[in-house]
Amino acid sequence: MVARVEHTIWRVGHGRTLDLAARGALMAIVNVTPDSFSDGGLHNSVDAAVRHALSCVDQGAEILDIGGESTRPGAAEVSVDDEIGRVVPVIAALREKTDALISIDTYRAATAKAAVEAGAHIINDVHGLQREPDIAKVAAEHRSGLCIMHTGRGREKLADPIADQRQFLERSLAIAERAGVALETIVLDPGFGFAKESPEENMELIARFEELHDFGLPLLAGTSRKRFLGALTGRDAADRDVATAATTVALRLKGASVFRVHNVAINRDALVMADAMLATERRIAAMKDKTA
C-alpha cells in the first residue's frame, strides 16, 4: 500500500478545508476561453460557464477550477485585464450559487488577487510561482489554498524526470516559504503534458509517482485529455475520457489526492472504485496486524 502524505487536511481560503485522508477529490475544469485545446469556446460566457460548473458539482466535483487563459502549447496570451474580466464574474456568480470550492487557474498575481477577493479559495499556478513570484504573497496574505505545478516549458530540463521535478518544485517551495505560505495550504502538481516531450516521459512519471511523496505534501494529477493519452490510444482530445479515467485509478492507487478533469462523471466512478480498493487494502492490513 502506498505511503500517505504527512498532512491530509488541505487548508484553503475563506476559512475552508478539504479532508483528503480517506478519498480523492475531483477538480472540474471550467475554461472561460475561446481557445482551450479540448473545450475552447464551449463555456465562453458567464452564464454558460456557471451552468457548466454547477453541472460538474452535481456530478461530484468538489473544486471548480476557473481559467481565463488557455495553457495549450502555442496559445496566445491575454492581458491581465481581459483575464480578470473573464474569470471574476464567473467566480462571483458561483459563490452565490454553490458551496463548492473555487480555484483560479492563473500565474498572474493581479488575477489571483482579484479572484480570491471575489471568493476563490485556491490559486492554481501552472508556472509553479516562478513566472510571477508575487503570486505567492497573494496566497500568503489571503491564506488561500495553493496548487504549485511543475513545468518544463521555457527551460532546459534534467534528463531524469523525477530529478527535474525535485529541482523545480524545491525552487517553487522556497519561493512559497519566503512569502510566508503555510505548508498545509499547498498541493503539488507534477504537470503532466507540460513540456513532457513524449508518451514515455509521461508514463514514467505515472510509474514513479510514489517518489513524489518525499515532499510530504498532497499531490494533484492533471492528465485529463492530454496529448500523451491521444498518442497511446489514437483518440482525439474529446474522446480521451476513458483513458483519463484509467490514469485516475492508477494515480489514486499511487497516492494522488486531487484530480483535475474535464469529464467529472466518468472520473467520479473511477475514483470511487480506486478508493474502494484502497479502503479494502487498509482493512486487510488492519486484520493482519491484529493477528500478528
Side-chain angles (χ1 to χ4, degrees), residues 162-177:
I162 298 298
D164 195 74
Q165 291 276 330
R166 289 185 176 129
Q167 182 187 75
F168 182 92
L169 292 172
E170 284 169 2
R171 188 179 301 125
S172 296
L173 288 168
I175 294 170
E177 183 178 18

Side-chain angles (χ1 to χ4, degrees), residues 54-132:
L54 294 177
S55 73
C56 290
V57 174
D58 289 342
Q59 293 166 15
E62 294 184 74
I63 308 166
L64 301 169
D65 193 38
I66 315 300
E69 178 179 300
S70 175
T71 57
R72 66 177 175 81
E77 291 189 3
V78 302
S79 71
V80 64
D81 289 340
D82 284 346
E83 186 181 34
I84 290 172
R86 290 175 178 180
V87 300
V88 164
V90 175
I91 292 167
L94 286 171
R95 278 302 300 265
E96 294 181 355
K97 296 177 182 295
T98 179
D99 289 330
L101 297 175
I102 300 170
S103 170
I104 175 62
D105 178 2
T106 188
Y107 58 84
R108 294 185 176 95
T111 303
K113 183 176 187 294
V116 297
E117 289 178 352
H121 305 87
I122 298 161
I123 298 168
N124 179 16
D125 183 359
V126 299
H127 286 277
L129 315 181
Q130 296 186 35
R131 181 154 173 176
E132 289 195 15

Side-chain angles (χ1 to χ4, degrees), residues 12-85:
V12 299
H14 304 288
R16 298 283 299 277
T17 59
L18 184 61
D19 188 349
L20 302 173
R23 58 185 178 82
L26 291 170
M27 171 187 279
I29 297 167
V30 183
N31 288 320
V32 194
T33 59
D35 58 346
S36 293
F37 80 97
S38 174
D39 57 359
L42 291 180
H43 319 301
N44 196 23
S45 73
V46 174
D47 288 344
V50 169
R51 284 196 302 272
H52 173 63
L54 294 177
S55 73
C56 290
V57 174
D58 289 342
Q59 293 166 15
E62 294 184 74
I63 308 166
L64 301 169
D65 193 38
I66 315 300
E69 178 179 300
S70 175
T71 57
R72 66 177 175 81
E77 291 189 3
V78 302
S79 71
V80 64
D81 289 340
D82 284 346
E83 186 181 34
I84 290 172

Side-chain angles (χ1 to χ4, degrees), residues 163-221:
D164 195 74
Q165 291 276 330
R166 289 185 176 129
Q167 182 187 75
F168 182 92
L169 292 172
E170 284 169 2
R171 188 179 301 125
S172 296
L173 288 168
I175 294 170
E177 183 178 18
R178 287 194 296 271
V181 176
L183 277 177
E184 61 266 26
T185 66
I186 297 174
V187 164
L188 299 180
D189 177 356
F192 287 99
F194 280 77
K196 281 67 175 180
E197 305 299 343
S198 66
E200 291 76 17
E201 185 175 353
N202 285 280
M203 292 307 297
E204 182 174 352
L205 193 53
I206 293 175
R208 298 176 63 188
F209 195 80
E210 298 102 319
E211 296 178 48
L212 298 176
H213 290 301
D214 290 349
F215 285 104
L217 294 167
L219 299 172
L220 182 151

Side-chain angles (χ1 to χ4, degrees), residues 277-289:
M277 176 59 71
L278 290 171
T280 300
E281 288 182 353
R282 289 192 292 269
R283 178 176 57 80
I284 292 171
M287 290 173 60
K288 288 181 177 179
D289 287 344

